[in-house]
Amino acid sequence: KEGIPFTSASESRWLLRTGAEGLGDCFRSLLCESLVAGNEARQPRNRLRICQNLKMASPRARSKQGGNALFSSLEPQGSGAFYMRVKRNQKGGLNMERIQISDNTLKQDSRALSLSFREKIELCKLIDRLNVDFIELPPIRQKKVDSLLIKSIATVVRQSRIAVQVDLNPESVHETWNALKEASAPRLQVMAPVSSVQIEYLCHMKPAALQQAVVETIQACRLLTDDVEFIADDYSRGDPEFVLQLLQAALDAGATHLTFREIAGVMLPEELRVMLEQTIADLRISEGVVLGVDCSNGLSMADSCAVEAIRSGIREIKAASYRADCVSLPHLVQILSLKGEQFGVSCAVRRES
């Protein structure tokens, strides 16, 4: 069929939770206002009003790829149901947005995953065969060993892109780049805490000094590569005003990716989605900037948090192929494979290597 029928308020509320990104505040409010009673969706005047007003949906209702809304309209049917008309591509399939997957297995606690130099290289080769978008490597701590590892992995990885984190100083940027520059599509990552406790006791900085260091580091990275990611660490415990200020400064400095790292592990999926939506709505985000999330598994809900993040507009998920305190790569790929069409998204990761 060309559309997806739904006839009751309960099914309409399901749509609010599972619809494509950015059907937007206009569409949400229209359904909330007109579908309070169980049978109001069946009333022709309500169906017609929703159909007419859906065409005026906000820009958030438009896909980042090509500017076409996934659901083009709601059309009343004589049977008492009405259909969501679904945009399809030239081959007849759905216009799906791509979810980028970043494997951060090697950045997990070394006590949980202790690998030799050679085993790390072999693991990256296996992950590369899965066709993940990014393979993340830990920052350089032992210059000779870690630099050689980055160079070795960069030469054997064929499909995935390599991302390495730098410290908040120019020396670390150039040191990391010298090891990473041979990769086919290198990415530099700049991570900074946004919670007051971590800023003061881990970075030993004041918020203003931290922001200045982030801006200078991102600018130094942009002189070397066009792919720079800023990671807001401990996102959920940061002061909202400072978080917005730091994220906007990172964007203005040239960051092409923003990642919200939730390490507290105490947020329910719905709470994370609401928090992300509010932050995204308050930011001035340029076209082409990709938003990502890194969720802790403290409540054993990291996979669910990732799904809610996707619904809020996130388009990059960090996951581990080995069991760790984060999103599970096998679980995420299975969810997107079975339910991705329901969200209007897909990923390129193979389910078998």
Side-chain angles (χ1 to χ4, degrees), residues 6-310:
F6 60 101
T7 59
S8 68
S10 61
E11 290 174 350
S12 301
R13 293 189 188 101
W14 170 84
L15 171 64
L16 291 179
R17 298 294 301 276
T18 60
E21 174 207 359
L23 279 179
D25 297 335
C26 173
F27 183 65
R28 288 170 185 256
S29 62
L30 283 168
L31 282 179
C32 288
E33 289 173 3
S34 59
L35 300 179
V36 176
N39 292 322
E40 285 194 9
R42 301 177 186 271
Q43 299 179 14
R45 67 174 184 274
N46 285 333
R47 297 200 304 273
L48 181 59
R49 183 162 64 90
I50 294 172
C51 295
Q52 291 172 341
N53 286 279
L54 181 59
K55 297 178 181 179
M56 298 186 294
S58 65
R60 292 180 61 187
R62 309 194 71 78
S63 165
K64 294 179 181 178
Q65 298 179 358
N68 294 320
L70 179 65
F71 299 109
S72 58
S73 66
L74 289 176
E75 299 184 7
Q77 306 294 309
S79 61
F82 55 95
Y83 282 79
M84 294 184 298
R85 291 293 178 182
V86 181
K87 290 278 188 175
R88 297 185 180 273
N89 56 33
Q90 294 180 350
K91 296 182 179 180
L94 292 177
N95 283 329
M96 311 285 274
E97 284 195 75
R98 169 83 170 271
I99 299 296
Q100 298 180 359
I101 307 297
S102 187
D103 186 283
N104 61 0
T105 305
L106 289 181
K107 292 182 72 174
Q108 302 305 314
D109 191 340
S110 59
R111 292 173 296 181
L113 182 64
S114 179
L115 299 175
S116 67
F117 187 95
R118 182 174 180 178
E119 287 171 335
K120 291 177 181 178
I121 295 176
E122 292 301 319
L123 175 60
C124 288
K125 290 168 66 176
L126 291 173
I127 295 173
D128 184 43
R129 289 172 58 186
L130 293 175
N131 199 36
V132 301
D133 296 279
F134 295 94
I135 297 176
E136 299 189 17
L137 304 180
I140 294 176
R141 292 294 176 257
Q142 302 178 35
K143 184 175 180 180
K144 290 185 178 180
V145 176
D146 293 341
S147 295
L148 180 59
L149 177 63
I150 294 172
K151 291 179 181 178
S152 301
I153 292 175
T155 58
V156 299
V157 169
R158 303 298 182 187
Q159 301 178 77
S160 304
R161 289 170 281 180
I162 305 297
V164 183
Q165 181 184 323
V166 303
D167 295 329
L168 295 178
N169 61 74
E171 294 78 12
S172 175
V173 173
H174 291 286
E175 185 178 85
T176 303
W177 180 251
N178 288 334
L180 182 62
K181 62 184 179 182
E182 299 302 325
S184 58
R187 167 186 285 188
L188 293 176
Q189 298 176 312
V190 180
M191 185 167 72
V194 296
S195 62
S196 57
V197 173
Q198 289 205 24
I199 293 173
E200 183 173 354
Y201 292 101
L202 294 183
C203 295
H204 307 290
M205 292 181 177
K206 296 296 183 182
L210 177 70
Q211 180 174 322
Q212 182 64 28
V214 167
V215 169
E216 291 176 354
T217 305
I218 291 176
Q219 290 174 340
C221 292
R222 281 305 304 265
L223 295 175
L224 302 171
T225 178
D226 291 333
D227 194 350
V228 179
E229 176 184 9
F230 176 67
I231 304 173
D233 196 17
D234 205 11
Y235 160 70
S236 63
R237 292 185 288 199
D239 175 65
E241 184 176 350
F242 175 71
V243 170
L244 287 174
Q245 182 179 334
L246 184 60
L247 291 174
Q248 194 62 60
L251 287 172
D252 295 341
T256 56
H257 290 69
L258 283 185
T259 295
F260 307 94
R261 188 165 186 253
E262 201 287 292
I263 62 173
V266 296
M267 298 196 77
L268 295 174
E270 179 71 12
E271 294 174 332
L272 179 62
R273 181 185 63 79
V274 172
M275 190 173 186
L276 286 170
E277 287 180 344
Q278 183 61 54
T279 301
I280 294 170
D282 292 337
L283 285 172
R284 301 188 309 275
I285 302 175
S286 303
E287 185 178 356
V289 173
V290 178
L291 304 178
V293 74
D294 186 359
C295 302
S296 170
N297 200 35
L299 294 178
S300 300
M301 290 186 173
D303 301 336
S304 299
C305 286
V307 173
E308 288 296 312
I310 290 173

Side-chain angles (χ1 to χ4, degrees), residues 101 328-338 347 349-351:
I101 307 297
S328 166
L329 177 61
H331 293 173
L332 179 63
V333 172
Q334 184 178 22
I335 291 171
L336 293 179
S337 175
L338 298 178
C347 74
V349 180
R350 300 189 182 96
R351 300 184 69 180

Side-chain angles (χ1 to χ4, degrees), residues 311-325:
R311 290 175 176 172
S312 72
I314 296 298
R315 289 298 175 263
E316 181 175 321
I317 306 293
K318 297 187 185 300
S321 51
Y322 178 81
R323 57 182 175 83
D325 185 27

